[in-house]
Amino acid sequence: MRRALWIVVLGIILVALVTHALQGDMPNPFGSREGFGVWFAALLTLAILSFLYQDNPVYRFTEHLFVGVSAAYWMVMGFWSTLVPNLFGKLWPDLTARLFVPALKGTRDPRWFLYFIPLVFGGLLLMRLLPKGQHLSRWALAFILGTTAGLRLIAFLTADFMGQIQSTLVSVAGYRAALTPGGMPHWSFEQMFWDLVAVIAILAALAYFYFSKEHKGAFGKLSRVGVWVLMVTFGAGFGYTVMGRIALLVGRVEFLLRDWLRVL
Amino acid sequence: MGRFVKLVETVNTLDKRWVFLVVGAAVVISTIFRLTFPEIPTPMVRSIFEKIESLPAGSRVLLPFDYDPGSEPELQPMADAYVRHCAEKGLQLYFIALWPLGQNMVESTVSRVLNPEYPSFAYGRDYMNFGYKSGNEGVIAVILTDIKKLYTTDAQGANIDSIPMLAGISNIRGFDLILTASAGYPGLKEWIQYAGTPGNIPVAGGCTAVQAPLLYPYYPEQMVGLMGGIKAAAEYEALLLERYPKFRGDKDRFQTALTRMGPQTVTHLVIILFIVIGNVAFQILRRRRRQAQGA
C-alpha cells in the first residue's frame, strides 16, 4: 500500500515536470538528444540519491547500469587507444592503418617482432575464460605482478623512503630551497620550529607502532603523543572527506537546478 | 524536565534520514541563493600560481587529467582555472590522461575554456592531446625515457611526428612543469614517484579532498604545490581574480569553485551543529544513566 502510494506520488510529479518541460521551461526530453540526455542523467541522479531513504530496485538498476557502462567504456577505450596503436599498429602497421588508424601507415618499428610477446601474454590472460587451460593465464599474471612489483619497489625507495627521509631531515635546519626559478631560498626560525614539530610528530607516531619495547616511562609518553598525532591525522582526513563528499553533492545539485530544472 | 529528557532521547535516537534531509536542504538553499565567501590563498596554492607566473611564454607544461565525471565537481573548477592561467601566460599545453574518461575531460576543457576564450590557440602549435593510454604508472615510467615508444598517435589519431610542438621533445624531462588533476590511482602520487623525483621535473597539481592528507608529505621538497579539493580550487580562482581583473565578470564561468564554496561552508556549519547537538545529547543521557546507577 505504502509502495503504491509512493509510485502514484512520484508518477504525478514526473507527469507535472514533463508537462512543464513541454511548455519550454525545462529541456524537452523528446525534443533533442541533449534534452533527453539531461532528463536521463537527472533521473539517474535522483535514483542514486534514493538510496539515502532506503535500498530499492530503482537504485539497484542504476548502480548496475553505471558499473556495466563503466566497464564497457573502459574496455572500448583500452582497445582503441592501446591495443590498436601499440600492439596491432606495431605488428601490422599497414593493415592497422588501412582498417583503423590511417596515421600509422609506414611506421614499422625495427624491433616489431618483440611485440609478439605481449600478444601471446594477452592471449594467455584470456585463457582464464576457458573451461580448461585456466592455469596458463598464471604466466601472464606472474609477468604483470613481477613487473609491477619491480617498478613500484624502485619508485617507493627513491620517492617515498629515501625522498621522505631526506626531505624531513634537511628541513629541520629551517632551510627551504627556492621553489620557483629566480626565487630565493630562505631560512627562518619559524620554519625551523614547524619542521621540528613535524619531526617530533613523526617519531612519536613511529614510537606508537614500536611494540618491541613496553610503552612505559618516557617512551610511553612519546607513544601517547603519537596517538594524538594519529588522531589529528585521522581528523584531517575525515574533514577533507566530508568536504569532498559535499562538493560532489553540490555538483549534482547544481546540475539538477541549472541544467534540468533551470531555476539557477 | 521530563519533556527535556524526552527531547534529548529523541535527538539521541534520531533517524539518520532526517540528517540527510537537513544537509540536502542546506545545500539546495545555499546553492539557490548563490552565497560566496572571501578566500585567502594558502602557501601551497599560491606556490603553484607563482610557479606558473614565473614560466616564460612558450614553456612546456604537461597536463595529466587523471579523473572522471565522478570527481568532476571537485576537480574541473581547478583544471579550468589553471588551464586558463597557462593560456594567459602563453604556455604550450600538452594534455594526457591515465584514466579512460580523462580524455573526455580534456576534450570538455578544451571546448569550454581554450576554444571559446583563446581562439588564437591552435592545435599542434599551442596545445595538443596525447589521449588516454592504459598502463597506469607503467605509462609514466616509459615516457620518462621515450614518449614515442608508447605514443605513436595523438588522441585524434594523427601521427605523433606530424605535430609541430612535439619537435625536440623525446621524453617528459623536456617539460618545465607537470601540472595534474588527480582523483586517485594513478594520479598525482604516481607522477611524483615515477616522473618528478627520478626525473627531477617540477610536479604540482590538484587532487580530490580525500587524497590531500596523503599528499601533504611531498610538499615542498618533491612537489611545488598542492590544491586539495574545492577549497583550494576556490583559492586559485581568488588568485586569478586578484591578478587578472578580466575574470571578475562572468561568475558562472570564472568563479565556479568560489560559488561552490558557499554551500560548502553552510553545510559544514550544519554538520558541526549536528555533531555538537549529538554529543551534548549523548553526554546528558550518559550522566543521567550514571546518576540512576549510583542511586
Side-chain angles (χ1 to χ4, degrees):
Chain A
M1 183 64 194
R2 205 173 159 196
R3 177 176 283 189
L5 187 70
W6 269 113
I7 292 170
V8 170
V9 170
L10 291 175
I12 291 169
I13 293 172
L14 192 65
V15 170
L17 285 170
V18 171
T19 313
H20 196 57
L22 292 176
Q23 287 167 352
D25 298 325
M26 280 168 66
N28 185 346
F30 313 112
S32 66
R33 264 201 317 194
E34 198 188 339
F36 177 78
V38 169
W39 269 81
F40 194 53
L43 293 178
L44 291 182
T45 302
L46 294 175
I48 288 290
L49 289 175
S50 71
F51 183 76
L52 294 175
Y53 183 71
Q54 67 177 44
D55 197 0
N56 61 74
V58 178
Y59 164 76
R60 260 174 279 152
F61 165 77
T62 313
E63 189 188 29
H64 287 96
L65 183 73
F66 179 73
V67 172
V69 169
S70 302
Y73 191 84
W74 185 84
M75 207 170 149
V76 171
M77 283 296 286
F79 179 79
W80 286 104
S81 64
T82 307
L83 278 181
V84 168
N86 291 77
L87 185 64
F88 304 144
K90 298 281 186 185
L91 288 169
W92 306 288
D94 288 337
L95 183 67
T96 311
R98 201 164 59 238
L99 293 177
F100 303 121
V101 188
L104 290 173
K105 194 168 171 59
T107 54
R108 171 71 96 184
D109 191 311
R111 285 183 291 178
W112 62 274
F113 49 87
L114 288 177
Y115 288 88
F116 275 112
I117 298 170
L119 179 69
V120 171
F121 272 121
L124 286 178
L125 204 57
L126 291 175
M127 298 295 271
R128 212 175 164 73
L129 301 171
L130 299 177
K132 281 183 181 175
Q134 289 183 351
H135 63 282
L136 291 171
S137 68
R138 289 185 195 153
W139 286 95
L141 274 177
F143 180 80
I144 293 168
L145 283 174
T147 313
T148 311
L151 268 173
R152 292 201 140 213
L153 183 72
I154 295 165
F156 181 80
L157 283 176
T158 52
D160 283 359
F161 189 69
M162 293 305 293
Q164 288 287 287
I165 292 174
Q166 192 184 12
S167 303
T168 308
L169 294 181
V170 167
S171 67
V172 178
Y175 175 80
R176 281 275 183 270
L179 291 176
T180 55
M184 293 292 287
H186 67 276
W187 187 93
S188 75
F189 275 116
E190 191 196 343
Q191 195 66 60
M192 183 187 271
F193 171 76
W194 287 114
D195 289 342
L196 271 173
V197 169
V199 171
I200 291 167
I202 289 166
L203 292 177
L206 286 174
Y208 176 72
F209 289 105
Y210 187 76
F211 301 115
S212 301
K213 183 175 163 60
E214 205 174 348
H215 289 197
K216 273 184 175 177
F219 188 73
K221 282 177 183 161
L222 186 66
S223 78
R224 192 84 195 138
V225 174
V227 173
W228 279 97
V229 171
L230 293 177
M231 289 299 170
V232 170
T233 312
F234 296 147
F238 177 72
Y240 265 117
T241 305
V242 170
M243 184 172 83
R245 298 299 175 247
I246 293 173
L248 300 184
L249 180 60
V250 172
R252 290 328 290 161
V253 168
E254 268 189 12
F255 165 74
L256 292 175
L257 295 179
R258 180 183 294 146
D259 299 336
W260 186 46
L261 297 174
R262 289 195 180 155
V263 293
L264 278 188
Chain B
M1 192 65 186
R3 209 181 254 181
F4 175 70
V5 173
K6 205 174 173 189
L7 179 72
V8 171
E9 274 172 357
T10 310
V11 168
N12 212 38
T13 54
L14 188 72
D15 190 332
K16 63 185 175 188
R17 287 179 287 195
W18 286 107
V19 178
F20 297 152
L21 188 68
V22 175
V23 168
V27 170
V28 172
I29 292 166
S30 49
T31 304
I32 289 172
F33 284 102
R34 316 286 282 160
L35 295 173
T36 51
F37 299 94
E39 291 293 336
I40 300 164
T42 51
M44 280 201 289
V45 176
R46 192 177 282 277
S47 62
I48 298 178
F49 187 86
E50 296 301 340
K51 176 72 185 176
I52 293 176
E53 278 292 300
S54 71
L55 292 173
S59 299
R60 293 161 175 161
V61 182
L62 186 68
L63 297 161
F65 272 41
D66 300 330
Y67 64 100
D68 58 15
S71 40
E72 185 267 343
E74 270 192 287
L75 296 176
Q76 196 60 53
M78 67 175 80
D80 286 355
Y82 67 63
V83 165
R84 204 167 268 137
H85 190 194
C86 290
E88 277 295 318
K89 294 289 299 174
L91 308 179
Q92 288 194 311
L93 309 178
Y94 301 77
F95 295 96
I96 193 169
L98 299 180
W99 284 42
L101 283 160
Q103 187 172 315
N104 299 56
M105 306 319 286
V106 171
E107 283 161 14
S108 159
T109 308
V110 168
S111 65
R112 281 181 309 99
V113 178
L114 277 185
N115 292 344
E117 293 174 31
Y118 303 92
S120 61
F121 252 60
Y123 188 84
R125 189 192 67 199
D126 302 303
Y127 75 96
M128 59 102 32
N129 184 5
F130 283 110
Y132 161 74
K133 282 272 183 265
S134 64
N136 304 332
E137 62 269 43
V139 173
I140 308 173
V142 172
I143 61 175
L144 183 65
T145 51
D146 189 357
I147 291 176
K148 287 176 187 171
K149 199 180 252 181
L150 204 55
Y151 289 90
T152 46
T153 58
D154 69 353
Q156 296 168 355
N159 194 311
I160 212 87
D161 291 321
S162 67
I163 297 171
M165 65 190 286
L166 276 173
I169 300 180
S170 57
N171 56 51
I172 55 170
R173 287 172 209 263
F175 288 97
D176 299 292
L177 178 66
I178 298 172
L179 190 55
T180 85
S182 142
Y185 170 80
L188 181 51
K189 192 181 174 81
E190 282 66 36
W191 283 102
I192 294 168
Q193 288 178 324
Y194 295 91
T197 305
N200 203 20
I201 311 161
V203 178
C207 64
T208 52
V210 177
Q211 274 187 295
L214 305 172
L215 292 166
Y216 272 123
Y218 294 110
Y219 175 81
E221 309 294 341
Q222 292 162 279
M223 183 170 63
V224 175
L226 176 68
M227 288 186 274
I230 194 76
K231 168 88 172 72
E235 290 170 17
Y236 201 92
E237 282 182 356
L239 280 168
L240 265 183
L241 295 178
E242 183 187 306
R243 204 70 64 91
Y244 298 91
K246 65 182 254 194
F247 294 132
R248 286 179 192 164
D250 191 345
K251 243 184 169 185
D252 282 340
R253 179 178 279 192
F254 303 125
Q255 298 177 39
T256 324
L258 280 165
T259 50
R260 283 182 187 174
M261 274 310 288
Q264 189 74 242
T265 310
V266 171
T267 314
H268 269 76
L269 289 175
V270 169
I271 290 171
I272 290 168
L273 192 69
F274 271 123
I275 291 172
V276 171
I277 292 171
N279 275 282
V280 168
F282 176 75
Q283 292 296 339
I284 289 171
L285 283 180
R286 191 164 74 162
R287 189 174 294 176
R288 286 187 66 83
R289 217 175 293 133
R290 276 185 187 164
Q291 281 171 351
Q293 280 170 356

